[in-house]
Amino acid sequence: MTQKDAVAPEGCSSGRGPQRELMKGQYEGLLAGLGDTEAQQTTLQPLVGRVFVHTLDQETFPSLSEHVDVPPTVPITYHAHLQGHPDLPRWLRYTQRSPHHPGFLYGTPTPEDRGRQVIEVIAYNRDSFDTTWQRLVLLIGDPEGPLLPYQAEFLVRSHDVEEVLPSTPASRFLTALGGLWESGELQILNVTSALDRGGRVPLPIEGRKEGVYIKVGSASPFSTCLKMVASPDSHARCAQGQPPLLSCYDTLAPHFRVDWCNVSLVDKTVPEPADDVPTPGDGILEHDPFFCPPTEATARDFLTDALVTLLVPLLVALLLTLLLAYIMCCRREGRLKRDLATSDIQMVHHCTIRGNTEELRQMASSREVPRPLSTLPMFNVRTGERLPPRVDSAQVPLILDQH
């Protein structure tokens, strides 16, 4: 579950109400089934403004292997949520690459998150379907030591977020960054996946990573090298597709491939300018000689405009109707004119053909000649019974004149 899916009130992530209630009911039912088992309790102390990382693996859940030896290759998944809520607090995230990899709870608490928070973690053994749970008590307090007003954020494109959360890669990153930021002790303040910042999921090609943002803080000012990287000249070169200005040796390479065009520096020793609070006025505009709105509107009669708008289209439609009626009704030639324009010989020829045709039809209907065999029914359509022809085909002449 990612930070985008988190839904919970009172400092938890926001989301859809029905889905939250459904998930809450599922988790309450699952915890009710685990109520007979005693939950392990671990107390942790995150610090405000410092990155917090907690690893979830078989070492943190020894109850998974109390009765049976669980090999390290067994797939195990975890689910963490705030006690009484189905999701994590807004400052805490959870990630796990696959059931064969450990899970991580990480994040940076804010001053509003001070106090006590209880996180319940459920572990699932995907082979034996064993389930156990653990309770993490987080006592969030203020850090000790000097403040870290100088903060720099780097985009590391050669790693995923779960690859820099363990202590060994994080220490290696700080050691390599010390070559660029020599004075002062460096501390990691926040770790964020590039996907949470709007990055795209990389193609499934070997060597492609999601990317991770690492924010580092120090009590010492930035080095000249970092200032040059974040200068306007470097940003202009990056906008043109060229590498930024880097006056020192890149000590992070080749273990960490940093996108130097996405380096941001924040100096909290410089006070931020206060926002100008607008003062409410009396609502009357000041006198402007170039804007002189009219004070009075002259009366206007809209009757003429209404008549023109309605009568002109009606008049046009009436004229078109009359024109169409004249063409269809008054311009017809008629049958008399057609007959007068036809010659007498053609009319006599036409009448003769028509009279002969009618006479042949009458003779054909009154003749007493047997029907052709091809038209006689050979079987009954309803019963399917075959009937022999009623007329002897040998006695029917092929030509009627021979009869």
Side-chain angles (χ1 to χ4, degrees):
M1 183 177 298
T2 60
Q3 183 71 9
K4 300 177 183 178
D5 300 329
V7 200
E10 301 181 1
C12 297
S13 308
S14 60
R16 294 186 293 268
Q19 182 180 5
R20 177 181 59 196
E21 297 297 335
L22 178 61
M23 296 173 61
K24 184 176 179 180
Q26 293 177 351
Y27 300 145
E28 289 178 352
L30 180 59
L31 293 178
L34 298 175
D36 298 337
T37 61
E38 183 178 358
Q40 304 173 7
Q41 182 169 322
T42 304
T43 303
L44 303 174
Q45 296 181 351
L47 301 177
V48 174
R50 303 292 188 272
V51 65
F52 166 76
V53 179
H54 180 68
T55 306
L56 301 176
D57 52 14
Q58 295 188 21
E59 296 180 358
T60 58
F61 280 87
S63 59
L64 286 174
S65 56
E66 286 182 353
H67 307 287
V68 181
D69 294 336
V70 179
T73 58
V74 170
I76 299 176
T77 56
Y78 306 91
H79 175 79
H81 62 95
L82 183 66
Q83 187 179 30
H85 303 283
D87 302 300
L88 291 171
R90 59 183 179 181
W91 66 271
L92 194 60
R93 300 183 181 91
Y94 166 75
T95 182
Q96 185 181 13
R97 178 59 56 178
S98 69
H100 298 278
H101 294 80
F104 295 95
L105 288 173
Y106 68 100
T108 301
T110 60
E112 291 80 7
D113 299 319
R114 292 191 186 96
R116 182 176 181 271
Q117 294 182 355
V118 179
I119 306 298
E120 295 178 348
V121 184
I122 305 174
Y124 306 90
N125 188 329
R126 293 301 181 181
D127 283 351
S128 62
F129 302 101
D130 292 337
T131 304
T132 184
W133 66 305
Q134 187 182 67
R135 184 180 291 113
L136 303 178
V137 180
L138 305 183
L139 303 178
I140 304 174
D142 295 326
E144 300 179 356
L147 300 178
L148 306 177
Y150 300 95
Q151 301 176 4
E153 190 174 53
F154 305 89
L155 173 57
V156 181
R157 296 192 177 276
S158 58
H159 289 70
D160 294 331
V161 62
E162 64 271 3
E163 296 178 350
V164 299
L165 290 177
S167 58
T168 302
S171 302
R172 187 184 303 170
F173 180 82
L174 294 178
T175 303
L177 185 60
L180 303 176
W181 198 350
E182 299 177 356
S183 58
E185 182 183 359
L186 305 178
Q187 295 186 19
I188 296 181
L189 303 182
N190 192 13
V191 177
T192 307
S193 173
L195 301 182
D196 296 336
R197 297 285 189 90
R200 295 184 177 182
V201 178
L203 297 175
I205 303 176
E206 185 177 1
R208 297 289 183 92
K209 300 293 184 178
E210 298 174 355
V212 57
Y213 285 89
I214 302 178
K215 180 181 286 189
V216 181
S218 176
S220 303
F222 302 113
S223 62
T224 306
C225 180
L226 293 179
K227 291 181 180 179
M228 183 175 296
V229 170
S231 63
D233 296 338
S234 296
H235 292 166
R237 291 174 60 90
C238 290
Q240 298 176 0
Q242 301 178 3
L245 300 175
L246 191 62
S247 61
C248 53
Y249 177 71
D250 186 4
T251 57
L252 293 171
H255 302 289
F256 299 93
R257 182 166 57 87
V258 178
D259 186 359
W260 293 106
C261 290
N262 284 278
V263 176
S264 60
L265 305 180
V266 178
D267 186 1
K268 292 191 174 182
T269 58
V270 179
E272 297 180 359
D275 297 335
D276 297 335
V277 180
T279 56
D282 53 2
I284 302 177
L285 297 177
E286 298 179 359
H287 177 69
D288 188 357
F290 300 99
F291 178 69
C292 298
T295 56
E296 295 181 0
T298 59
R300 183 179 177 183
D301 187 10
F302 293 95
L303 178 60
T304 305
D305 297 340
L307 294 177
V308 171
T309 304
L310 297 176
L311 295 180
V312 170
L314 292 177
L315 182 60
V316 173
L318 179 60
L319 292 177
L320 293 177
T321 303
L322 295 176
L323 180 60
L324 183 60
Y326 172 74
I327 293 175
M328 297 187 65
C329 300
C330 302
R331 296 287 296 176
R332 297 184 63 181
E333 296 180 352
R335 182 176 179 182
L336 178 60
K337 184 176 181 180
R338 183 195 64 184
D339 295 342
L340 294 175
T342 306
S343 61
D344 295 338
I345 298 176
Q346 187 176 357
M347 291 295 296
V348 171
H349 185 247
H350 174 72
C351 293
T352 303
I353 295 175
R354 184 175 180 181
N356 294 337
T357 303
E358 294 293 336
E359 185 179 359
L360 290 175
R361 289 179 179 175
Q362 292 178 3
M363 292 173 61
S365 59
S366 63
R367 65 182 178 178
E368 297 179 358
V369 179
R371 296 174 57 184
L373 296 178
S374 59
T375 61
L376 295 177
M378 299 302 296
F379 62 91
N380 194 334
V381 179
R382 297 181 179 179
T383 62
E385 180 182 1
R386 293 183 177 273
L387 299 177
R390 300 179 180 178
V391 181
D392 188 4
S393 60
Q395 298 179 0
V396 177
L398 296 178
I399 301 178
L400 297 179
D401 293 343
Q402 298 177 358
H403 184 66

